[in-house]
Amino acid sequence: MLEHLHSLYERIGENYTASNPNGRCPVCNGTGTVIGDIDPGCMIAPELSLKHGAVLLWSGTVCRPVSKIKALANMIGIDFDRPLSEQDDRFPDILLYGYDKEPVSYVHKGKPFEGFYRGCVFDLQDMRDAETTSKGNLRAIAFFSRRVKCFRCSGNGPNLERFAATVNGRSLLEAWRLPVSELLLFVCHLPASPDNDTDEIVAEIEACLIYLNKIGLKTLPSIEDKFRFPANAG
């Protein structure tokens, strides 16, 4: 979703100016950053229960890893209905990095399976290693990975200007730091655009925020952690 906000601020930011007169960097597409290491810190929402999507990578899906997580929870005593923050401190790390003490037996789409639970960090790395082309998987990889300075342009794409740009008086950093419910209202109240591409970007952001708000996520991952910017940037 951060990439969509980048694009939105580039298109409608009140004081946006591109810093690269020769066009966007072909590697980072002008953002000044590329996908770095997986960011485990934004993959679990401990204020949520497993039932309500605490494992954000698989939240809202009915895929095979979800069936495995349900069986794992039953096996090691994770209460599916209680927020993780109210349970054993070890559970978030297990969900992130796996459980190797015994295999998990589970059923998915009527078929029995058994195997060790490897963790959602492993699952995301597996997507990256497989060079997935699935749009959903690519969005997950982008969302749950840190952003680092582009090696091609050394971060000299229009990244800094994009952060300095404002939309309805808010910079991108200020918007990202809003509670999810407030950011949703902010995006919903943006004026209609004659540009269909801009409307599509706004619709993508709205859909993502509506879902995150529905499952009870209060705030988005720290943008400073994802981009490794100092906390007082912007």
Side-chain angles (χ1 to χ4, degrees), residues 131-148:
E131 298 182 351
T132 179
T133 57
S134 161
K135 289 184 178 180
N137 288 350
L138 290 173
R139 281 196 294 267
I141 290 170
F143 187 80
F144 295 112
S145 299
R146 294 185 176 92
R147 307 292 299 189
V148 296

Side-chain angles (χ1 to χ4, degrees), residues 36 64 98 100 107 123 134 144 160-161 164 170-171 178 203 210 231:
R64 185 166 158 181
D100 60 3
V107 176
D123 291 337
S134 161
F144 295 112
L160 294 178
E161 283 72 20
R170 291 188 188 276
S171 70
L178 289 172
I210 287 171

